[in-house]
Amino acid sequence: MREVMLIKLGEIVLKGLNRKNFEDKLVRTIKRRIAEHGEFRVINQQSTIYLIPQGETVDFARIEKTVGKIFGISRYARAAQCDKDLAAIKGTAVEYLGGVLSKMRTFKVESKRSDKKFSLKSPEISAAVGERILEAFPHLSVDVHNPEITVTVEVRDFGAYVRGDSLPGAGGIPVGTGGRAAVLISGGIDSPVAAWMLAKRGVELIAIHFASPPYTSLRAEQKVELLLRKVAEFAGKITMITVPFTEIQEDIKKNCAEDFFTVIMRRFMMRISEIIAKRYRCKALITGESLGQVASQTMDAIICTNDVAKMPIFRPLIGMDKDEIVEIARKIETFETSILPYEDCCTVFTPKHPRTKPVLSDIQREESKINCENLIRSAIEAIKITEILE
């Protein structure tokens, strides 16, 4: 008997002729992410990826934390591998799961026989293993509808596997299979969630952050780095581009009508982000906007913002309310960092009465008062690049 990990694929199994590309990408990602935990043989067969340790000491608890944050995985479980022999399977179930079964009151056994050469059918395997468990743990009773634990036996080509309940994976599809996009990242709650949601759909991320010193502090920038590290645990390495935004904001404040300030600022962000995104071969921009959440996120304001961008702009949070966004932020452990009291540039020079229904021609008229091209060129020439590792 030896302990292994079984990883179940999610929607990858529905990918038809492209399925192998998704599976190969997922296997490469798993190998890279678990390399620090030791040497493993990784086998992909029959919608299951097997992690087989090649050393004696493996910290499976640490591996579970890593595997649980890899997009493309539906479920995963530690399991005991044994010979494809009924006596061995029954003995393994009692030995491997004994510590857990001794604390339970109810159980059931499910069996899956992908190796059709095995002499017993799935119901027969379940009955035999269940009977052996009841002999070893007489306090248990069988509950096929709501058991406290489900003992699963899988008879496969490489051997038989016995495990308890599996754990939910991160879902989605492997990062890198959905193209590359640039996410506009602030220090708030929304944009890290938007980044995570697109990474879950296979998108490789570049992050663009706008800083306005001295109005924003170094701690605000460090806060964004912390948020990206949390996202990178799921999304892999992220390149963070920090754009100096002070001069642009001061110029807007000096020359443009106050109630248009926020929308004009957002238009500058889009212009700059698109230029940077093209440099990094991105195909889209991502924002954390939710319709109607603030003045710059009304339908009219979004129309004015979109006007300056040729790239698609993905807004995965557009129909979500704040409670739904916060729920995800807590799940991915970005919420507590997001609420740290370090302001980002979006809060600088906030107008008292922002225009919620701006008209594009009015915005363009106000922008004509400033030299947009020079401001954008100066900002891009002074960008700072930081690599956020997974």
Side-chain angles (χ1 to χ4, degrees), residues 104-175:
M104 300 294 174
R105 294 172 298 173
T106 61
F107 80 105
K108 75 172 179 179
V109 180
E110 289 185 351
S111 300
K112 303 174 183 178
R113 184 185 61 129
S114 58
D115 181 1
K116 301 306 180 184
K117 296 178 182 178
F118 192 72
S119 59
L120 298 178
K121 295 181 179 179
S122 296
E124 296 171 321
I125 299 169
S126 296
V129 173
E131 183 179 4
R132 179 66 186 93
I133 290 173
L134 287 172
E135 290 175 359
F137 304 96
H139 72 284
L140 286 172
S141 61
V142 176
D143 184 343
V144 296
H145 299 293
N146 296 294
E148 291 182 314
I149 182 173
T150 298
V151 176
T152 301
V153 178
E154 299 186 32
V155 181
R156 294 179 167 270
D157 292 344
F158 304 119
Y161 301 86
V162 178
R163 61 174 175 84
D165 294 320
S166 62
L167 297 172
I173 56 179
V175 172

Side-chain angles (χ1 to χ4, degrees), residues 222-375:
Q222 292 170 339
K223 172 184 173 181
V224 173
E225 290 184 32
L226 289 174
L227 289 169
L228 287 175
R229 286 197 187 101
K230 284 294 183 182
V231 175
E233 290 178 11
F234 296 88
K237 187 181 79 169
I238 300 173
T239 298
M240 173 182 168
I241 315 295
T242 303
V243 181
F245 207 53
T246 308
E247 183 181 4
I248 291 173
Q249 288 188 292
E250 289 179 336
D251 221 67
I252 296 170
K253 183 178 186 298
K254 179 180 177 182
N255 295 288
C256 301
E258 181 185 13
D259 52 345
F260 292 123
F261 177 88
T262 304
V263 174
I264 294 173
M265 178 190 72
R266 295 290 295 177
R267 283 164 62 88
F268 268 95
M269 287 180 172
M270 290 298 175
R271 291 184 180 106
I272 292 169
S273 295
E274 188 169 63
I275 293 169
I276 294 171
K278 288 179 180 177
R279 287 186 181 181
Y280 282 85
R281 302 187 306 279
C282 296
K283 297 178 180 178
L285 301 176
I286 305 166
T287 77
E289 291 165 298
S290 171
L291 188 63
Q293 187 177 119
V294 294
S296 64
Q297 296 175 24
T298 64
M299 192 174 295
D300 297 272
I302 288 173
I303 289 170
C304 292
T305 301
N306 283 358
D307 173 66
V308 297
K310 295 180 180 179
M311 278 186 174
I313 302 172
F314 296 151
R315 296 177 170 93
L317 313 185
I318 196 68
M320 299 174 68
D321 62 35
K322 201 67 176 183
D323 289 341
E324 292 170 320
I325 299 168
V326 167
E327 182 179 354
I328 297 176
R330 291 187 185 277
K331 173 184 174 182
I332 65 176
E333 299 180 346
T334 58
F335 179 75
E336 295 300 329
T337 301
S338 291
I339 61 174
L340 292 174
Y342 307 126
E343 294 185 334
D344 58 51
C345 72
C346 295
T347 61
V348 176
F349 306 138
T350 302
K352 293 181 180 178
H353 303 288
R355 190 74 64 94
T356 58
K357 294 184 178 181
V359 176
L360 181 58
S361 58
D362 294 337
I363 296 291
Q364 292 170 333
R365 184 192 66 245
E366 291 299 310
E367 280 185 343
S368 67
K369 300 176 182 178
I370 53 183
N371 192 325
C372 295
E373 289 186 6
N374 285 349
L375 289 169

Side-chain angles (χ1 to χ4, degrees), residues 70-106:
I70 298 176
F71 289 128
I73 294 174
S74 172
R75 302 192 72 85
Y76 60 96
R78 294 157 67 170
Q81 181 180 359
C82 64
D83 293 336
K84 289 188 283 186
D85 172 81
L86 185 59
I89 293 171
K90 292 193 291 185
T92 299
V94 171
E95 179 184 352
Y96 182 63
L97 298 175
V100 178
L101 290 168
S102 64
K103 301 173 185 177
M104 300 294 174
R105 294 172 298 173
T106 61

Side-chain angles (χ1 to χ4, degrees), residues 152-215:
T152 301
V153 178
E154 299 186 32
V155 181
R156 294 179 167 270
D157 292 344
F158 304 119
Y161 301 86
V162 178
R163 61 174 175 84
D165 294 320
S166 62
L167 297 172
I173 56 179
V175 172
T177 59
R180 181 183 296 165
V183 58
L184 281 67
I185 188 89
S186 70
I189 296 170
D190 302 337
S191 54
V193 173
W196 178 85
M197 290 179 70
L198 264 295
K200 187 175 182 179
R201 301 313 307 157
V203 175
E204 181 184 348
L205 299 174
I206 300 296
I208 301 174
H209 174 64
F210 293 87
S212 295
Y215 306 107

